[in-house]
Amino acid sequence: MAFLDHVAILQVAVPLLAAPLCVMLPGRHLPWALTLAVSWFTLVCSIVLLAEVSAGGSIAYHLGNWPPPIGIEYRVDAINALVLLVVSGISAVALPYARRSVEHEIEPDRHGLFYTAYLLCLTGLLGVTITGDAFNIFVFLEISSLSTYVLVAAGARLDRRALSAAYTYLVLGTVGATFFVLGVGLLYMVTGTLNIADLAERLPPLAESRVVQAAFAFVVAGMGLKLAMFPLHTWLPNAYAYAPSLVTVFLAATATKVSVYVLLRFVYTVFGHEFAFIEPVLAWLVLPLAVIAMLAGSVVAIHQDNLKRMFAWSSIAQIGYMMLGLALASASGLTATVLHLFNHALMKGALFMALGGVMLRIGAVSLASVRGLASEMPWTFAALVIGGLSLIGVPGTVGFVSKWYLILAAIEKGWWLLALLIVAASLLAVIYVWKLVEAAYLQPAPQDRERVRDMPPDMLIPLWVLALANIWFGIDAGLTTSVAGTVVNAFLGGGS
Amino acid sequence: MPEAITEHYNYWLVIFLLMAGLFVTITSGNLVKKIVGLNVFQTAVFLFYISLAKLEGGTAPILTGEPERFSNPLPHVLILTAIVVGVATTALGLALVVRIRETYGSIEEAGLQEADRQDELRAAAEQGR
Amino acid sequence: MRHHLVLRVVSKLLIPFMLLFALYVQFHGDFGPGGGFQAGVIFAAAFILYALVFGIDHAREVLPEHVLRYLVPAGLALYTLTGFAGIALGGKYLDYDVLGSTPTAGQHLGILLVEFGVGVTVSAVMVSVFFTFAGRTRDVDEEDW
Amino acid sequence: MIELVQDIVSGTLLLAGAAFVLIGTLGLLRLPDFYARLHGAGITDTLGAELMLIGMMVQAGFSLVTVKLLLISLFVFFTSPTATHALANAARVTGLRPALVPEDDIETMRTRDD
Amino acid sequence: MWTAAAIALLVAMVMALTRAFLGPSLFDRVLAINSFGTKILLLIGVLGFLTERPEFMDIALLYALVNFIGTIAVLKFFRYRNLGLSSPAAARPENRK
Amino acid sequence: MAPDMVTVIDLVLLALLCAAAVALILVRQLFAVAILAGAFSMLSAGLLVTLDAVDVAFTEAAVGAGVSTVLLLGTLALTQRRSEESRRRGTGPALLAVVLTGGALVYATTDMPGFGDPEAPGFRHVVPEYIVGSETDIGVPNIVTSVLASYRGYDTLGEVAVIFTAGIGVLLLLGRRREDEIQDEARRSGSGDEG
């Protein structure tokens, strides 16, 4: 069997096969090793896929050999190849890091189950990203969501609030998914198809239909819940704050990105942003909400004491940036969204990894508890600072690139105020990152805390891989912008 | 107008059901009841799908040899999948409720929020030392 | 439920029929309503009834947890592997045509395997979920009642 | 001819069953307390249901459907009374008091049984 | 004929559901729901004949077999406040685990 | 005559479902909630039969009668029976969200194909191929089975994965632990609570 012919399906089917195997594995190390191997395998797959589609073409894979509208099809183009790369890449980097962190945070006899849930989450996210079928998105979204609830709840060993966070997430996530299904059902009702490409072909004549309008509303609301779009974000801060470190790293870097991707896919491929009713929705609803998210998320983040929560709120603000780019519906705006999707994964991955290390060493991640810690864990905090700078958008980091495009998009439209607001939100980020830096570098360590060592190398290396990626892709943005360019062309050029 | 009623009565009742389910999910203060509300909400969506699959004068999509008009089998398949997802969510949600009851001693949302707030305060106090 | 003679007798009578019915649903799904999922649930329901009437410890003896631990993933693994079999035999993932000598025979075999996988995982999950819920006791707080 | 007889017989059975179901459920709704309502439910579950099922069997003639109906009626015949019995038992053990029986009589019932 | 039977069943279902809602005791609710299950079973049977697809009897058969479980679970729940144990003695803390 | 009766049954069952849903809003006792959920499931199974979705009805019946109620009761046994039903918080925004949802759907109904309309796109596109293909390609009389297991077999694979996830999740959350683990946790939470 030719590997290349089947990469698209192997990408999802291999982790899916690994999940049941993982439950049967005894001990703590074997499940981890299997998960690690599978993650790297998916990374290889997504690199192959990205290489194949980066020329601008797309790969289709017909499951069960049924032609598309009849069967389910996998379709990979530049945007989902990029998201696949983000998901599998973060997973591949996070897993070497995971071993110690999970050993510290999860009961020893639950590791097999924990890694199984993790594999299922990975499968779900990859499956959502790669599929070309609207209902299949729902199924895999639920695989990833259910496993996410479990993974978040696994943090209850250290803090019981993980349970209530997981519960809230479960209720809101299920409402979101059900809205999404309802939207897909409405679309099916008027088109008779579930295939995304087929939908895109059959929808334009129906643009006036109220059913299509309602379908759009439900898809946006459903995905809005899943991606924590302001004001549907209430589940996110606690879920990220009390989940085990590995889970926070993985989720913060990937889960919301996949939902953003689905929204992009629906707004730009399925509906097409030229639909008469979509433009006002983007301009008058999504855009203001995105701006509020940007500012409010940052302001709330400033007032947080728990660092994981601080960065969780900052995630809400960052999702605001992505939604802003989406709502601007211009070439530079979309470029910014696509870039930020990639870049935010890098920064949040690095930041939460560093915090996971702090958690491992001192068992808490509050501002007060990290006082003076930078001298004891220099490498960890150096990476943390790089991530923070990237979050602010300092030139030379990835954060700068995406914000640059965003501001460009605002100026192109002549909306100077919006550009100013983007800058203002970045300045707010300076405040909370500074609070962290001040505590870690400038304040003395509390007397009663024992001195700790820096993170072990197997955790530091993944952290620094991400931190350096933040700088690398900030200086040489060629690869990401070229992919983003292809995406934007596909969305805005051929989207009619 | 009567035309519109006879054509869509089914959908309207389903919509009412959906609203009732969503209302219970959002407003109920009890965690178990919230899950039941979620179930009602999902069932309404399932019924919506099945309603759109119904064909006037059609029968269940099982071939019997004679040519017949069948209701649309595709939504049936989708909803089979969705029901399974619903059951899975319910089971997981209830398991979470049990754990919450064991750790918090309450299954009321208000009690939970109160406990979370207490946790927060205690954590803050601990840091302030 | 030691004193419920009637209940025990009727349950003993009923359970074999439920299991039979589950098998019927599992393999008759091609012709009538039903299939792997429904069969799995009915099978699990029979087990749940057994556990309810005769106590969960007895039920655990019939279907020990370490067996369940393998049954839960086995069905899913069977399903995925059926998919891979399609690739191995030169088709696409989940392509049943290549499984048999003729496409229709392949389809039949594929559907049979897949439905069986669904049935196994569903029944094992349902039973183990019930065991987990029912096997967990808590101190009975009188004021809650 | 046979069909006519079939129709008449099954129709009669069905309607009789339906009448019993109605009466029984009316009892379930209107009777004063749980123990009295048990009787109403009993009529529905056994007499009403069985008659209706037999009516259906007559209608179906000799086929797989009849076999299934026969099984259904068998199961209903066994499970419904069992469930009702178990329920009544549980109610009594839990101490649910009949509305129409004086307090003293219940006490004597208790002491005699336990 | 089928129509009359169906109407009778629907009316009976309304009454049973009312009882289930009104209670007052929990046993009333369980009783009502148990008999409600029987009515649904009969209705599905009648529907099969009404639409001339009597092979849907499988669903009725399923209800005949499975409906019982809910009631037993309720009962067990009441007597022992637990679904798993076989006797109340086992619920005492010292006998657990 | 006969189809009309089916319509009547359909309407009555739907009305009963709505009544049950309203009852669910009103009822405070958790046990009654569980019972109503059972009734709800049975009603929807009956409704699904009238809508020709026998496979779905079968599933709903099996799940509702066999598993859901038992699970719900199991949860109540482990938690508590009576809902204290705290003061309803934020009914205003909730009502707004619910009305918006309902409003969007009612708005959409005005452009929907009629109920049972054979001209609806669902019957014109893709599905005819399933109906023919089920006989010629697959040879399975139950079209739902052939779509479920073959045409859209991949969705079903996802479905099994979902149920598997739930099983794993429940085990991870509630699974029995070895004795030393429980003690370990007790020590941990004990020190955490006093701090």
Side-chain angles (χ1 to χ4, degrees):
Chain A
M1 69 186 201
F3 171 71
L4 281 180
D5 293 346
H6 296 285
V7 202
I9 184 62
L10 291 178
Q11 168 98 32
V12 182
V14 168
L16 190 52
L17 177 63
L21 296 182
C22 189
V23 192
M24 302 194 219
L25 290 177
R28 285 179 277 169
H29 300 300
L30 283 177
W32 170 75
L34 178 70
T35 314
L36 180 76
V38 168
S39 289
W40 284 359
F41 176 78
T42 58
L43 179 61
V44 171
C45 286
S46 39
I47 291 172
V48 171
L49 283 172
L50 185 63
E52 273 190 56
V53 299
S54 58
S58 70
I59 301 172
Y61 187 90
H62 301 160
L63 287 151
N65 216 3
W66 299 111
I70 295 180
I72 294 170
E73 129 182 272
Y74 267 6
R75 185 171 283 225
V76 192
D77 55 17
I79 174 79
N80 44 13
L82 184 72
V83 178
L84 287 174
L85 182 70
V86 169
V87 174
S88 55
I90 293 287
S91 176
V93 176
L95 270 159
Y97 165 92
R99 195 172 57 89
R100 269 174 209 272
S101 164
V102 169
E103 236 159 54
H104 176 65
E105 293 175 12
I106 305 295
E107 294 93 335
D109 59 337
R110 300 283 171 94
H111 283 198
L113 292 173
F114 181 83
Y115 281 114
T116 309
Y118 179 88
L119 274 171
L120 286 164
C121 188
L122 179 66
T123 311
L125 293 174
L126 292 171
V128 169
T129 311
I130 201 169
T131 187
D133 187 279
F135 195 80
N136 201 238
I137 289 185
F138 163 72
V139 175
F140 277 80
L141 196 64
E142 281 305 271
I143 298 179
S144 78
S145 304
L146 283 179
S147 45
T148 307
Y149 311 145
V150 176
L151 289 171
V152 170
R157 194 188 183 207
L158 297 180
D159 194 320
R160 64 178 185 176
R161 275 171 286 182
L163 290 175
S164 64
Y167 180 85
T168 315
Y169 190 8
L170 182 134
V171 170
L172 289 178
T174 309
V175 170
T178 312
F179 272 155
F180 179 76
V181 180
L182 196 54
V184 172
L186 289 166
L187 287 179
Y188 177 77
M189 184 178 220
V190 291
T191 59
T193 184
L194 291 166
N195 185 283
I196 287 178
D198 202 19
L199 272 175
E201 257 173 46
R202 294 174 153 260
L203 273 180
L206 298 166
E208 296 298 310
S209 166
R210 293 174 171 182
V211 182
V212 177
Q213 297 172 12
F216 179 73
F218 282 113
V219 169
V220 170
M223 276 301 134
L225 267 167
K226 286 275 183 195
L227 64 81
M229 183 165 77
F230 188 86
L232 307 172
H233 64 274
T234 43
W235 57 266
L236 185 140
N238 278 354
Y240 282 11
Y242 302 118
S245 303
L246 167 69
V247 178
T248 313
V249 169
F250 186 61
L251 286 187
T254 60
T256 47
K257 311 296 170 294
V258 169
S259 301
V260 171
Y261 154 76
V262 174
L263 196 60
L264 274 174
R265 180 61 88 196
F266 267 83
V267 171
Y268 287 97
T269 306
V270 175
F271 290 99
H273 66 292
E274 299 100 336
F275 273 36
F277 66 92
I278 290 183
E279 247 168 12
V281 172
L282 291 183
W284 295 104
L285 188 71
V286 180
L287 193 132
L289 286 179
V291 173
I292 296 174
M294 230 161 67
L295 295 170
S298 306
V299 170
V300 178
I302 292 173
H303 293 286
Q304 295 302 317
D305 186 57
N306 181 322
L307 292 173
K308 272 174 117 179
R309 256 168 88 104
M310 174 195 278
F311 287 117
W313 276 102
S314 132
S315 274
I316 292 169
Q318 303 292 320
I319 289 161
Y321 289 112
M322 289 178 226
M323 297 309 291
L324 186 61
L326 187 150
L328 285 169
S330 65
S332 355
L334 268 181
T335 313
T337 300
V338 175
L339 284 176
H340 207 56
L341 208 139
F342 180 81
N343 297 345
H344 184 238
L346 293 182
M347 12 176 160
K348 276 289 147 62
L351 285 170
F352 281 119
M353 262 189 194
L355 289 181
V358 174
M359 194 80 184
L360 176 77
R361 285 301 186 223
I362 62 172
V365 283
S366 64
L367 265 181
S369 63
V370 299
R371 273 175 301 179
L373 204 59
S375 58
E376 293 161 41
M377 302 176 73
W379 289 100
T380 308
F381 277 86
L384 203 60
V385 169
I386 293 176
L389 291 177
S390 187
L391 201 59
I392 297 166
V394 173
T397 59
V398 281
F400 174 73
V401 183
S402 34
K403 274 186 195 163
W404 174 252
Y405 275 98
L406 204 56
I407 293 174
L408 216 60
I411 294 173
E412 267 172 15
K413 293 232 171 186
W415 294 345
W416 290 94
L417 184 65
L418 185 61
L420 280 179
L421 284 174
I422 297 169
V423 176
S426 305
L427 292 178
L428 289 173
V430 175
I431 300 179
Y432 59 78
V433 173
W434 173 251
K435 278 177 80 177
L436 167 61
V437 171
E438 189 202 11
Y441 282 90
L442 302 181
Q443 291 187 359
Q447 298 299 321
D448 53 348
R449 193 186 67 219
E450 287 172 27
R451 286 188 64 83
V452 293
R453 281 172 300 121
D454 208 336
M455 284 203 281
D458 55 349
M459 291 174 80
L460 264 183
I461 293 169
L463 170 61
W464 271 91
V465 167
L466 281 184
L468 290 176
N470 267 300
I471 296 174
W472 172 268
F473 288 107
I475 295 169
D476 175 22
L479 172 72
T480 45
T481 37
S482 82
V483 172
T486 324
V487 173
V488 171
N489 276 338
F491 278 170
L492 296 180
S496 58
Chain B
M1 195 58 205
E3 178 93 336
I5 292 175
T6 52
E7 277 200 324
H8 297 117
Y9 61 89
N10 207 297
Y11 294 124
W12 289 344
L13 286 173
V14 168
I15 291 169
F16 177 80
L17 208 56
L18 188 143
M19 289 166 74
L22 193 59
F23 184 76
V24 174
T25 312
I26 301 177
T27 57
S28 174
N30 183 283
L31 302 188
V32 176
K33 201 170 164 186
K34 259 179 142 63
I35 301 253
V36 176
L38 209 54
N39 260 330
V40 172
F41 176 50
Q42 287 180 316
T43 309
V45 174
F46 303 162
L47 288 176
F48 173 79
Y49 265 79
I50 301 299
S51 298
L52 75 86
K54 170 77 179 167
L55 179 61
E56 195 65 58
T59 56
I62 297 176
L63 300 168
T64 48
E66 311 142 38
E68 273 184 282
R69 284 148 61 91
F70 296 112
S71 286
N72 189 342
L74 182 56
H76 297 182
V77 174
L78 304 181
I79 291 316
L80 275 177
T81 308
I83 287 183
V84 178
V85 172
V87 177
T89 315
T90 308
L92 202 58
L94 291 178
L96 263 174
V97 172
V98 170
R99 268 298 287 275
I100 286 177
R101 158 74 214 208
E102 283 174 359
T103 27
Y104 284 81
S106 165
I107 53 166
E108 293 293 323
E109 205 171 39
L112 218 62
Q113 281 164 350
E114 179 58 29
D116 276 357
R117 219 170 48 81
Q118 297 290 342
D119 278 7
E120 209 108 316
L121 290 177
R122 199 168 55 208
E126 233 170 82
Q127 302 308 330
R129 279 180 298 162
Chain C
M1 215 148 280
R2 198 161 290 158
H3 311 293
H4 276 291
L5 185 62
V6 180
L7 212 57
R8 294 172 81 109
V9 171
V10 171
S11 303
K12 268 203 174 144
L13 194 98
L14 212 57
I15 287 170
F17 278 103
M18 289 174 81
L19 296 178
L20 263 179
F21 187 56
L23 284 179
Y24 167 78
V25 171
Q26 171 85 54
F27 295 108
H28 195 255
D30 293 2
F31 307 98
F37 179 77
Q38 293 90 335
V41 173
I42 297 168
F43 191 87
F47 232 88
I48 289 174
L49 179 61
Y50 185 82
L52 282 173
V53 175
F54 297 94
I56 196 159
D57 295 330
H58 283 274
R60 279 221 177 88
E61 277 165 27
V62 181
L63 197 58
E65 236 151 319
H66 60 91
V67 176
L68 267 181
R69 202 185 148 86
Y70 289 99
L71 282 179
V72 170
L76 179 58
L78 176 63
Y79 203 139
T80 359
L81 286 174
T82 311
F84 279 112
I87 294 185
L89 294 172
K92 293 283 174 79
Y93 191 76
L94 282 177
D95 188 350
Y96 308 143
D97 281 356
V98 293
L99 294 181
S101 48
T102 63
T104 323
Q107 289 288 346
H108 273 286
L109 180 63
I111 290 178
L112 195 75
L113 283 173
V114 157
E115 293 271 15
F116 186 65
V118 177
V120 169
T121 286
V122 168
S123 55
V125 166
M126 293 293 171
V127 171
S128 66
V129 165
F130 174 78
F131 277 1
T132 339
F133 270 83
R136 209 175 173 84
T137 45
R138 70 177 184 97
D139 301 324
V140 180
D141 295 344
E142 283 305 323
E143 69 254 43
D144 288 343
W145 289 84
Chain D
M1 181 60 203
I2 295 207
E3 267 176 35
L4 186 68
V5 174
Q6 209 179 9
D7 273 3
I8 291 173
V9 173
S10 77
T12 318
L13 286 168
L14 205 65
L15 291 182
F20 277 117
V21 167
L22 262 184
I23 295 167
T25 318
L26 194 65
L28 179 68
L29 186 64
R30 296 285 303 149
L31 286 174
D33 78 343
F34 170 73
Y35 296 99
R37 286 175 200 137
L38 274 174
H39 298 89
I43 292 181
T44 321
D45 285 352
T46 49
L47 195 52
E50 293 298 331
L51 282 178
M52 287 187 81
L53 286 168
I54 294 171
M56 287 182 217
M57 276 187 244
V58 172
Q59 187 72 46
F62 288 99
S63 65
L64 185 63
V65 177
T66 316
V67 178
K68 281 180 190 164
L69 281 169
L70 191 69
L71 283 174
I72 294 176
S73 62
L74 260 178
F75 294 142
V76 170
F77 187 73
F78 280 112
T79 55
S80 284
T82 313
T84 322
H85 154 82
L87 200 60
N89 189 349
R92 203 187 71 84
V93 169
T94 331
L96 185 73
R97 211 167 63 77
L100 301 180
V101 184
E103 191 79 36
D104 307 345
D105 292 6
I106 295 172
E107 284 308 313
T108 48
M109 267 163 60
R110 277 259 167 78
T111 46
R112 198 174 48 219
D113 271 23
D114 290 347
Chain E
M1 175 176 79
W2 298 113
T3 314
I7 291 173
L9 282 173
L10 287 176
V11 173
M13 279 162 67
V14 174
M15 293 196 288
L17 203 61
T18 316
R19 176 49 67 204
F21 178 59
L22 290 180
S25 84
L26 305 165
F27 300 102
D28 288 297
R29 295 185 205 272
V30 180
L31 185 66
I33 222 68
N34 193 37
S35 117
F36 189 78
T38 315
K39 287 172 191 100
I40 282 278
L41 179 162
L42 292 172
L43 185 74
I44 291 174
V46 170
L47 260 172
F49 284 95
L50 258 179
T51 55
E52 284 150 24
R53 297 287 297 243
E55 57 264 51
F56 306 153
M57 231 41 86
D58 283 4
I59 301 172
L61 185 53
L62 174 69
Y63 264 125
L65 280 169
V66 177
N67 199 17
F68 183 57
I69 295 179
T71 311
I72 301 304
V74 170
L75 201 141
K76 184 123 197 205
F77 172 68
F78 273 105
R79 283 203 64 177
Y80 309 128
R81 284 154 202 188
N82 180 295
L83 294 182
L85 305 168
S86 50
S87 73
R92 276 186 223 115
E94 66 268 21
N95 297 347
R96 278 195 285 122
K97 304 228 164 83
Chain F
M1 182 65 208
D4 281 344
M5 191 54 220
V6 174
T7 312
V8 171
I9 294 177
D10 169 80
L11 269 178
V12 173
L13 286 179
L14 257 177
L16 279 178
L17 265 177
C18 290
V22 172
L24 195 66
I25 297 178
L26 299 175
V27 141
R28 277 154 175 253
Q29 250 185 332
L30 278 187
F31 182 78
V33 168
I35 291 289
L36 275 173
F40 197 86
S41 152
M42 289 182 197
L43 279 169
S44 48
L47 189 61
L48 290 168
V49 176
T50 66
L51 292 173
D52 295 340
V54 262
D55 273 273
V56 184
F58 204 82
T59 315
E60 180 67 46
V63 167
V67 176
S68 282
T69 315
V70 178
L71 272 189
L72 214 50
L73 287 171
T75 312
L76 293 188
L78 291 172
T79 54
Q80 68 210 70
R81 198 179 67 198
R82 208 171 298 277
S83 158
E84 287 132 36
E85 198 61 74
S86 42
R87 324 125 261 161
R88 293 240 159 82
R89 45 160 205 122
T91 315
L95 218 55
L96 182 72
V98 170
V99 168
L100 271 180
T101 311
L105 280 170
V106 171
Y107 172 77
T109 48
T110 51
D111 269 357
M112 280 181 192
F115 175 61
D117 181 4
E119 294 305 309
F123 296 105
R124 310 246 125 199
H125 191 48
V126 181
V127 165
E129 298 178 49
Y130 287 146
I131 293 175
V132 175
S134 185
E135 198 161 13
T136 54
D137 297 348
I138 298 179
V140 166
N142 187 348
I143 307 171
V144 172
T145 302
S146 53
V147 178
L148 182 88
S150 186
Y151 291 114
R152 293 186 71 88
Y154 192 63
D155 265 352
T156 311
L157 175 58
E159 166 199 316
V160 183
V162 167
I163 209 85
F164 176 71
T165 313
I168 294 300
V170 172
L171 283 178
L172 194 61
L173 283 169
L174 295 181
R176 294 207 295 187
R177 267 174 274 159
R178 288 199 308 268
E179 209 62 27
D180 51 359
E181 286 305 315
I182 293 166
Q183 279 162 5
D184 177 48
E185 182 156 271
R187 213 176 46 235
R188 219 172 247 280
S189 62
S191 62
D193 282 351
E194 262 90 72

